[in-house]
């Protein structure tokens, strides 16, 4: 008897190419996730265990990109105003009148307005030289708006601060360039 001829094709093992492809895709996915998390700024480190504020909307606000942290005075005042976690800097504007305004975002997306005449190094006296506003809104035109306790509206863009007083009068402060 003659042995049967095996005319089937020689199979290459797939184990190593599959492992290499899996490792490469994992590295690419982890790198992409890391880069996206860096773009978002401070992550919600304690948001899962922290209480969420009472609000009437059913969905949390979207997180805006942040660039570092807001000043320490803002960090210190934030929790008493309902901020959850660290406050990331969304926008910083210095006006020609030397007021510096920070729009800050907490770990769950709430926005806050904090301003001080003379900036971070000048004396801070809340209600006198400094103003903190919670419940700031990010408007479709790209501006930020908050309402102070006296009813004045503060609308901020990178180019200017527009204050609408309760009597309807407007005060505009242009941003300082450079």
């Amino acid at each position: 008897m003659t042995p049967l001829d095996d005319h089937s094709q020689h199979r290459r093992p797939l184990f190593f190419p599959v492992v290499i492809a899996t490792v490469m895709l994992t590295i690419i996915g982890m790198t992409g996730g890391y880069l996206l998390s860096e773009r978002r700024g401070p992550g919600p480190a304690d948001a899962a265990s922290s209480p969420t504020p009472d609000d009437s909307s059913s969905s949390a606000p979207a997180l805006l990109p942040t660039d570092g942290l807001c000043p320490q005075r803002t960090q210190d005042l934030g929790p008493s105003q309902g901020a959850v976690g660290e406050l990331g800097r969304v926008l910083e504007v210095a006006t020609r009148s030397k007021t510096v305004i920070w729009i800050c975002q907490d770990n769950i997306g709430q926005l806050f307005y904090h301003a001080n005449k003379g900036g971070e190094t000048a004396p801070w006296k809340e209600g006198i030289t400094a103003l903190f506003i919670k419940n700031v809104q990010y408007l479709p035109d790209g501006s930020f708006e908050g309402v102070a306790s006296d009813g004045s509206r503060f609308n901020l863009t990178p180019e200017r601060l527009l204050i609408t007083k309760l009597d309807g009068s407007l005060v505009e402060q242009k941003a300082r360039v450079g």
Side-chain angles (χ1 to χ4, degrees):
M1 259 191 163
T2 61
L4 295 174
D5 288 332
D6 185 13
H7 294 291
S8 64
Q9 294 180 353
H10 180 354
R11 289 186 169 189
R12 292 180 139 173
L14 290 177
F15 178 76
F16 289 110
V18 169
V19 168
I20 291 170
T22 303
V23 169
M24 293 301 291
L25 289 173
T26 301
I27 291 170
I28 291 169
M30 289 173 60
T31 303
Y34 173 78
L35 292 174
L36 286 173
S37 71
E38 285 296 305
R39 184 170 177 227
R40 281 185 94 157
D46 299 319
S49 62
S50 299
T52 56
D54 294 332
D55 73 14
S56 59
S57 65
S58 61
S59 63
L63 291 173
L64 298 170
T66 58
D67 182 22
L69 296 177
C70 282
Q72 189 58 48
R73 299 265 184 165
T74 307
Q75 302 293 337
D76 295 342
L77 188 56
S80 69
Q81 300 297 314
V84 176
E86 290 185 316
L87 291 165
R89 183 177 57 230
V90 174
L91 179 63
E92 180 177 335
V93 175
T95 68
R96 290 181 185 166
S97 64
K98 297 189 174 129
T99 296
V100 180
I101 304 118
W102 295 270
I103 297 295
C104 306
Q105 178 177 245
D106 70 2
N107 288 349
I108 61 171
Q110 297 180 98
L111 295 171
F112 301 88
Y113 171 109
H114 205 185
N116 191 45
K117 292 179 183 175
E120 195 171 351
T121 58
W124 289 66
K125 293 186 180 176
E126 291 301 324
I128 298 171
T129 65
L131 175 64
F132 191 98
I133 301 174
K134 59 185 180 178
N135 301 321
V136 171
Q137 300 297 311
Y138 180 60
L139 302 178
D141 67 359
S143 67
F144 296 89
E145 188 167 274
V147 180
S149 59
D150 69 355
S152 297
R153 292 190 169 281
F154 290 76
N155 185 284
L156 183 68
T157 70
E159 294 80 31
R160 56 102 185 114
L161 169 64
L162 183 63
I163 303 167
T164 307
K165 297 190 177 186
L166 200 53
D167 64 6
S169 62
L170 298 175
V171 176
E172 183 175 13
Q173 296 181 20
K174 298 281 186 187
R176 199 173 9 171
V177 179

